[in-house]
Amino acid sequence: MAEARISMYLPPDINPTKAAIAYGCRALPKLNEELQSEVLTTRQKALMALCDLMHDPEYVYQAIDIGCLDSLKALLKDINDLVRIKATEVLCIMATHNVGRDGFLEHGIIPALSYLLDDANSICRENLHKAYKHLAQLPSGAQGIVSSGLIPSLVWKLQKEQGAVQELILDTLAYCLQEDATEALGSRVVPFLKQLLLSASDTIRAKAACTLMAVSIPLQGKNQVWEYGVIPILVHLLKDDMDEVQANAAGALTYAAVTTEGKYAALEAEAIDPLLDLLCSPVNKVRLNATKALTMLAEAPEGRRDLQSQVHIFRTLQEETTEVSTRRAAQIAIKVIEWKP
Amino acid sequence: MPAKLPSRMRTCRGDAAGRSQESEVPCRSGLLRKLADRNCLEVPPPNGTLGCWATDAGAAGGLSAPESKGSVVPTSCPGPPFLLPPLRASWNPCPWHYLHLSGSYDALAPTCFKTKFHRRRGSPTPDMASAMTDRTSRAGNTYTYTSRPRALPCQRRRYRDSFLQAEEEPVHYGNIMYDRRVIRGNTYALQTGQLAGQPDPLELQRRQQAKRRALARKRAQEQLRPRTPEPVEGRKHVDVQTELYLEEIADRVIEVDMECQTDAFLDRPATPLFIPAKTGKDVNTQILEGELFDFDLEVKPMLEVLVGKTIEQSLLEVMEEEELANLQAMQHAYEEIRNIELAEVQRLEEQERRHREEKERRKHQQWEIVNKHNETSQKIAARAFAQRYLADLLPSVFSSLRDSGYFYDPIERDIEIGFLPWLMNEVEKTMEYCMVGRTVLDMLIREVVERRLNMYENKDKHQSLKPEDMYGGPGTMRDPTVGYDFQEQSLSHTQRPLLDRDDPQRMSYGDPSQERKYMDEGELLGQSEETAIRKSTGKDEL
């Protein structure tokens, strides 16, 4: 039987670090008020409670509706570390939802977050970059990031940061550069990426190759890639162990070899043999990119000559593969190799 | 009931005074005692706070709330501080405690905390008084008071609280309706009961009489009592102790100084758990297994719900994750295809561009070739035409030149250039010889004539016309004198401004000046004139 005494202890499922969440539709307005309070502990507790609530998209929508984003923007400038960390975490969780991303773009969160790029606390910066990465996966989000002029600072930060944060920045840049790469090209992104291509970590190499692929889509990027001599490094990466790295390197080579100079640079760096090896790889993405790269190289007369002896590989690829895209790519490759002027 | 009140108060007072606060052992005597218990539990200090007595008064009708409830109230004082306000609000049955304070009495609220600090008795603070004054003055300044009407706070706190600021607590006021000091009912038939300690005058009198009588009786009895006989002379009665243990008897009472000091403001310790003693009859019962309910049967629906919900939730989460993974995979596949397509597009663009450029170049080349072709044919045609046109240019040119005399016959020219000048020279020379001869002759003649003249002058010195003739003479005879002093005269002739007279002669003199080397040979005047004419015609020709 339960005792009729009132215990001196608090119930076991109350977390003293979280604010109490009001019932029903009062939850978020109350939390919003608490976010604006002057007392530090109130703010911190409200932020922790908000973190939990933001996993639900309905709450996200309601939060943006009542203007939580403005209070969060004010909190980003707070002196206390925990407040900033939690605020960035909340924003990061909100960015995983589409409603949240749209809210970001409307309320101008991007410039507010950019003040924290130089923050001393590393967790804060990590959350910040996670938020940016989620935002950049949306085309309008990437456009927003580009138009707010953040790309040069991100490229600069790419050099400064280490580890996980670097990977996040690389991802963000890869998406943003697919939208508009002119600013990045102006801020010397290609030399940085060239350094990163030789880094020790697998994921960083893979992501750097992916970003390089995005960089070399516009013509200026292709020219810069050729000028800075990245093509030999890419050819070297084709022999790397990781599939992801190989695939991305092949993709980057594909784009870089569209221009004539790129083609000849690749041919000089003897890209054909590694690419032919990659055609036998089990991963579809690798085969696809390798096929495309060889197609590019076959446009040049020397490449065509070298590849004419290897046409049978393409034929087998075309017949065996299950993926539609690979089959088409192989077909196109055969057509290009056998073209007579 | 008014009659009850004082008696109850008295008993309560007696009880309160008689026992310490820790002991909450209830006295057992019916309903009154029960109430008294509750009174004691919430026992206010003797200085008379009125708070929950009134509660009991109001709730006398049998609020058989469990003792624990009653115990909550005192324990609420030192209890967990941040739970205190809500607990007090929720648990305390005292209606006063939500008399506090609708917002209009904000002015009053803080003051009562101050009262708790400053005083034990509820006396008005100046603020409160002034607040009241304000209110009443607003109503109308018709009354004056020696003591202003005020609301009395109820003193609940007696221990210093270090957890809470006193100002934060809500003030609890006493309700006048439940105040024991207010006399209820009719006042004309009031029992003017005395306060404790003040005896009734009738009672006093009786007691005094009784005392006197008792005294008289005692005196009377003492006289009758046998006493011990007086001591013999020379002896004295002395009291002697005969007990087993001797006792020292002294006038002075042995005093021992004992000191006692209360601890300065100890906080009231937590009330120990009140576990009431068992009352009533003990009855036991035993529920055997299977008598009440079948656990397995009953638990099934609950279990089903629990397990079902859990599994459903986890399934949802797993499905969500799977969906996310699928989306991610689709996104990757799409990215690949997009990249490939983009690369393809760029390749085709590049190809197009190259082909186009190639075409342009070739077209350009062709165009150039055609141009060159045209040009060369034009050049050939032009050359042919020019050749033909100029074919008889040369003869016609030559003929026209020859016609206009630009071509000279070499022999003729040679004759003209070479022979004729020589001829002329020779002619000149010859003429000069003649001239010289003539000049000499003229000189001779002149000499002769001069001599004759001199001779004549010498003869005829007075004639003045001679110098003029001399001028005319030398003028007309200039030609002969030329050869004589040739150089001086030529210079002087050229210097003289006699152009109109001298032109043909000058020319003739010019010629000799040019041909000085022929001077010695001498020439005739007519020859020189002839040469002059020839020269002039020659000049014209040339």
Side-chain angles (χ1 to χ4, degrees):
Chain A
M1 279 280 291
E3 287 184 344
R5 234 182 322 145
I6 292 183
S7 155
M8 290 294 126
Y9 302 108
L10 287 170
D13 64 342
I14 279 190
N15 186 351
T17 58
K18 271 189 354 191
I21 300 178
Y23 183 73
C25 64
R26 274 295 301 167
L28 280 170
K30 182 150 187 293
L31 280 177
N32 196 13
E33 283 157 22
E34 281 179 16
L35 281 177
Q36 294 161 359
S37 112
E38 317 246 305
V39 180
L40 181 64
T41 43
T42 319
R43 291 204 297 264
Q44 287 173 344
K45 293 198 313 196
L47 274 173
M48 303 238 10
L50 201 60
C51 270
D52 284 341
L53 285 182
M54 287 293 114
H55 287 279
D56 187 355
E58 294 199 9
Y59 277 129
V60 174
Y61 174 75
Q62 197 187 359
I64 296 180
D65 213 19
I66 60 178
C68 266
L69 283 177
D70 295 318
S71 350
L72 284 171
K73 264 204 283 196
L75 284 178
L76 283 175
K77 302 193 179 88
D78 199 291
I79 312 171
N80 185 286
D81 277 352
L82 182 65
V83 170
R84 286 202 309 270
I85 291 176
K86 279 292 160 192
T88 45
E89 199 180 312
V90 167
L91 287 171
C92 174
I93 299 176
M94 280 171 102
T96 55
H97 301 286
N98 205 19
V99 200
R101 290 193 282 259
D102 286 335
F104 277 20
L105 290 172
E106 274 172 39
H107 286 79
I109 296 286
I110 303 176
L113 274 178
S114 65
Y115 290 119
L116 290 180
L117 271 174
D118 299 320
D119 195 276
N121 195 310
S122 68
I123 306 180
C124 200
R125 283 194 310 244
E126 198 175 318
N127 287 341
L128 165 75
H129 284 293
K130 270 193 219 161
Y132 274 152
K133 176 188 155 185
H134 288 130
L135 191 59
Q137 285 177 327
L138 190 68
S140 49
Q143 189 64 39
I145 293 184
V146 169
S147 56
S148 63
L150 274 180
I151 304 283
S153 8
L154 279 177
V155 173
W156 178 240
K157 282 287 161 197
L158 188 62
Q159 258 215 324
K160 294 299 199 68
E161 300 272 8
Q162 299 299 324
V165 186
Q166 242 183 356
E167 292 175 20
L168 290 169
I169 300 181
L170 278 171
D171 277 331
T172 318
L173 276 178
Y175 289 117
C176 292
L177 293 181
Q178 281 178 352
E179 287 290 318
D180 180 13
T182 43
E183 280 192 25
L185 289 169
S187 44
R188 294 174 51 84
V189 71
V190 178
F192 291 165
L193 286 175
K194 188 173 150 184
Q195 280 170 21
L196 287 174
L197 280 176
L198 300 164
S199 105
S201 154
D202 288 338
T203 41
I204 289 193
R205 281 206 303 270
K207 287 186 200 294
C210 183
T211 316
L212 205 62
M213 200 159 72
V215 160
S216 43
I217 292 178
L219 182 62
Q220 203 191 358
K222 290 194 238 282
N223 291 338
Q224 278 202 6
V225 163
W226 173 69
E227 277 167 28
Y228 283 107
V230 190
I231 298 185
I233 305 182
L234 285 173
V235 174
H236 171 73
L237 279 181
L238 287 174
K239 302 170 198 139
D240 199 278
D241 295 327
M242 266 199 73
D243 295 331
E244 191 67 27
V245 177
Q246 285 172 343
N248 286 336
L253 262 179
T254 312
Y255 283 112
V258 170
T259 56
T260 324
E261 302 105 358
K263 270 200 259 281
Y264 281 104
L267 286 171
E268 274 169 39
E270 308 204 11
I272 297 191
D273 294 319
L275 283 171
L276 284 170
D277 292 333
L278 286 184
L279 279 179
C280 318
S281 153
V283 179
N284 181 51
K285 187 174 173 188
V286 175
R287 284 202 304 259
L288 200 55
N289 285 349
T291 317
K292 265 281 157 279
L294 283 170
T295 315
M296 293 292 166
L297 291 180
E299 291 274 333
E302 290 87 359
R304 194 174 289 124
R305 198 183 53 224
D306 291 339
L307 283 172
Q308 275 194 334
S309 50
Q310 313 289 339
V311 179
H312 59 277
I313 302 183
F314 287 103
R315 283 199 207 284
T316 45
L317 194 66
Q318 186 190 1
E319 278 138 29
E320 280 176 12
T321 187
T322 49
E323 298 278 330
V324 179
S325 48
T326 326
R327 206 177 309 151
R328 264 190 56 203
Q331 227 173 5
I332 295 173
I334 295 175
K335 198 173 73 171
V336 167
I337 295 177
E338 296 181 342
W339 180 73
K340 295 265 184 291
Chain B
M1 305 260 258
K4 233 187 178 180
L5 270 172
S7 59
R8 215 174 60 185
M9 276 163 47
R10 259 183 250 130
T11 44
C12 199
R13 282 268 158 61
D15 287 343
R19 71 188 81 212
S20 61
Q21 276 198 327
E22 284 103 13
S23 71
E24 291 176 1
V25 176
C27 18
R28 303 177 167 276
S29 49
L31 183 64
L32 196 56
R33 282 312 168 92
K34 251 195 187 160
L35 297 173
D37 287 345
R38 251 186 272 113
N39 287 344
C40 301
L41 288 178
E42 303 156 328
V43 75
N47 42 6
T49 57
L50 309 164
C52 282
W53 290 359
T55 313
D56 300 328
L63 226 187
S64 58
E67 266 73 9
S68 59
K69 214 180 191 181
S71 75
V72 166
V73 175
T75 58
S76 70
C77 302
F82 56 88
L83 283 178
L84 179 55
L87 273 175
R88 284 178 75 103
S90 55
W91 280 105
N92 201 313
C94 177
W96 294 358
H97 292 166
Y98 56 74
L99 172 81
H100 60 65
L101 306 190
S102 47
S104 54
Y105 296 110
D106 280 348
L108 300 177
T111 61
C112 290
F113 291 109
K114 288 191 207 129
T115 62
K116 284 193 189 16
F117 265 145
H118 299 167
R119 40 204 121 225
R120 305 292 171 93
R121 304 194 184 256
S123 50
T125 59
D127 295 350
M128 211 162 58
S130 64
M132 301 291 292
T133 335
D134 283 345
R135 266 193 297 124
T136 49
S137 63
R138 263 183 263 126
N141 263 334
T142 47
Y143 293 104
T144 54
Y145 304 91
T146 39
S147 101
R148 293 228 164 251
R150 60 190 172 136
L152 300 173
C154 86
Q155 310 278 349
R156 297 310 304 281
R157 315 208 130 271
R158 280 170 64 271
Y159 292 92
R160 176 181 61 100
D161 258 338
S162 58
F163 304 112
L164 281 175
Q165 306 295 322
E167 284 84 22
E168 281 181 10
E169 279 190 12
V171 176
H172 307 297
Y173 283 108
N175 192 347
I176 201 172
M177 295 298 288
Y178 298 97
D179 196 340
R180 282 195 191 175
R181 296 175 287 184
V182 175
I183 297 179
R184 315 196 88 100
N186 53 352
T187 51
Y188 42 86
L190 251 191
Q191 293 273 349
T192 51
Q194 307 297 322
L195 296 167
Q198 276 193 22
D200 203 15
L202 209 59
E203 286 273 332
L204 244 166
Q205 221 176 21
R206 264 189 240 123
R207 266 190 239 134
Q208 280 173 358
Q209 277 179 6
K211 253 187 244 166
R212 265 185 246 125
R213 261 185 246 128
L215 209 63
R217 224 181 288 135
K218 219 193 265 184
R219 249 187 262 123
Q221 277 191 358
E222 270 202 27
Q223 285 176 358
L224 296 171
R225 213 167 51 167
R227 306 250 157 114
T228 48
E230 296 291 330
V232 175
E233 279 195 31
R235 292 197 182 183
K236 213 165 84 165
H237 282 303
V238 167
D239 287 329
V240 158
Q241 296 181 7
T242 51
E243 289 94 6
L244 202 56
Y245 297 101
L246 291 174
E247 209 178 291
E248 185 191 338
I249 299 176
D251 275 340
R252 202 170 60 86
V253 178
I254 300 173
E255 290 174 353
V256 175
D257 280 330
M258 289 292 294
E259 279 180 4
C260 175
Q261 172 68 35
T262 55
D263 292 331
F265 296 115
L266 266 185
D267 291 325
R268 186 171 178 282
T271 314
L273 232 40
F274 172 60
I275 300 171
K278 201 163 80 71
T279 57
K281 217 163 135 189
D282 277 342
V283 177
N284 55 8
T285 176
Q286 174 72 14
I287 298 178
L288 300 170
E289 250 191 66
E291 276 185 11
L292 275 183
F293 59 85
D294 184 8
F295 178 71
D296 290 330
L297 212 60
E298 300 295 327
V299 89
K300 223 169 158 182
M302 274 191 262
L303 256 187
E304 274 177 15
V305 168
L306 278 174
V307 171
K309 279 264 175 235
T310 319
I311 292 188
E312 194 184 324
Q313 180 75 14
S314 48
L315 267 179
L316 273 175
E317 287 182 8
V318 167
M319 268 166 47
E320 259 186 35
E321 285 189 8
E322 209 180 292
E323 197 180 325
L324 277 176
N326 273 348
L327 280 174
Q328 192 83 311
M330 265 177 63
Q331 219 172 23
H332 280 313
Y334 171 74
E335 287 268 340
E336 275 175 32
I337 296 183
R338 178 180 173 273
N339 283 339
I340 295 297
E341 289 296 319
L342 199 60
E344 183 64 26
V345 162
Q346 288 193 341
R347 185 188 69 83
L348 285 173
E349 264 179 24
E350 185 64 25
Q351 205 184 36
E352 252 322 291
R353 190 186 64 88
R354 277 202 325 267
H355 286 181
R356 197 177 49 239
E357 275 185 10
E358 192 60 36
K359 271 191 220 162
E360 284 291 312
R361 245 180 282 137
R362 294 214 179 153
K363 261 179 21 192
H364 201 68
Q365 259 180 358
Q366 274 301 106
W367 195 74
E368 298 238 310
I369 288 173
V370 167
N371 253 6
K372 270 226 168 87
H373 202 72
N374 280 347
E375 241 183 86
T376 31
S377 61
Q378 270 183 3
K379 271 187 192 164
I380 290 172
R383 214 171 84 142
F385 174 74
Q387 263 182 346
R388 205 178 56 75
Y389 182 70
L390 295 174
D392 56 333
L393 180 67
L394 229 60
S396 64
V397 161
F398 277 134
S399 57
S400 61
L401 273 178
R402 201 177 303 125
D403 288 343
S404 33
Y406 283 101
F407 288 119
Y408 58 85
D409 192 9
I411 299 171
E412 216 176 303
R413 190 168 171 90
D414 187 34
I415 290 174
E416 278 187 10
I417 287 177
F419 176 66
L420 285 176
W422 171 81
L423 189 62
M424 298 308 292
N425 283 338
E426 293 299 312
V427 166
E428 236 178 287
K429 268 194 269 182
T430 331
M431 282 187 67
E432 271 202 36
Y433 292 153
C434 285
M435 282 283 300
V436 167
R438 284 189 194 169
T439 320
V440 168
L441 190 61
D442 286 339
M443 272 170 57
L444 282 173
I445 295 171
R446 191 181 170 164
E447 275 276 336
V448 169
V449 171
E450 269 185 13
R451 279 199 195 130
R452 290 220 178 133
L453 257 169
N454 285 339
M455 280 168 32
Y456 192 65
E457 274 170 18
N458 288 334
K459 274 186 183 182
D460 218 27
K461 272 191 188 172
H462 303 291
Q463 287 179 14
S464 64
L465 285 168
K466 283 183 186 170
E468 288 175 8
D469 289 334
M470 285 294 281
Y471 280 124
T476 52
M477 283 194 283
R478 205 178 301 132
D479 297 314
T481 54
V482 163
Y484 180 62
D485 44 349
F486 167 71
Q487 280 153 338
E488 301 156 359
Q489 278 185 8
S490 67
L491 285 171
S492 62
H493 283 317
T494 52
Q495 283 174 6
R496 256 203 269 168
L498 293 172
L499 293 166
D500 49 353
R501 236 191 339 152
D502 289 344
D503 263 350
Q505 291 167 349
R506 223 162 142 228
M507 282 210 55
S508 66
Y509 292 139
D511 287 335
S513 69
Q514 284 177 4
E515 294 162 340
R516 273 182 225 149
K517 50 188 174 187
Y518 301 119
M519 178 185 67
D520 296 335
E521 299 168 30
E523 277 182 356
L524 298 171
L525 177 62
Q527 280 185 339
S528 67
E529 282 182 2
E530 278 176 27
T531 54
I533 291 166
R534 273 274 175 86
K535 289 275 169 153
S536 65
T537 53
K539 275 186 193 160
D540 286 335
E541 270 191 30
L542 288 167

